[in-house]
Amino acid sequence: SVLINTLLKEPVGVAKHADKALRLTCLDEGGVPSTFLFRFKTADEMEQMLGEIESQLAIAAGPGTEGGAAAGVGKKDEAEAAV
């Protein structure tokens, strides 16, 4: 399990950093940009955590919300997949 001992303020973005790592970027309690890099033993563990974070950001943004915390989630990966 993962514990981040800080309040994550919008905008929050999460993206795949490497095969077994992901990067979470946000503003901390003081409004200072912070980046967290999470490394996992397997790519499957990383994909599972990425999915969980994305689903929690979508819940936090609220139903039918355009933009918000989930707006930047996975956009880089989607753009690369579209090419």
Side-chain angles (χ1 to χ4, degrees):
S1 63
V2 176
L3 173 67
I4 300 175
N5 193 20
T6 187
L7 176 62
L8 303 179
K9 293 186 177 183
E10 291 188 67
V12 177
V14 64
K16 189 174 176 179
H17 182 75
D19 289 342
K20 295 188 266 182
L22 63 87
R23 181 181 59 251
L24 180 100
T25 335
C26 63
L27 299 178
D28 69 9
E29 296 168 340
V32 177
S34 296
T35 300
F36 300 91
L37 181 64
F38 299 95
R39 296 185 186 273
F40 299 88
K41 288 183 181 182
T42 67
D44 288 339
E45 288 176 349
M46 187 276 304
E47 291 291 342
Q48 181 180 1
M49 179 61 80
L50 182 60
E52 289 296 325
I53 292 172
E54 288 174 337
S55 70
Q56 291 301 313
L57 290 175
I59 290 168
T65 304
E66 292 294 326
V73 175
K75 294 297 181 189
K76 179 181 175 191
D77 293 333
E78 289 174 12
E80 290 174 355
V83 173

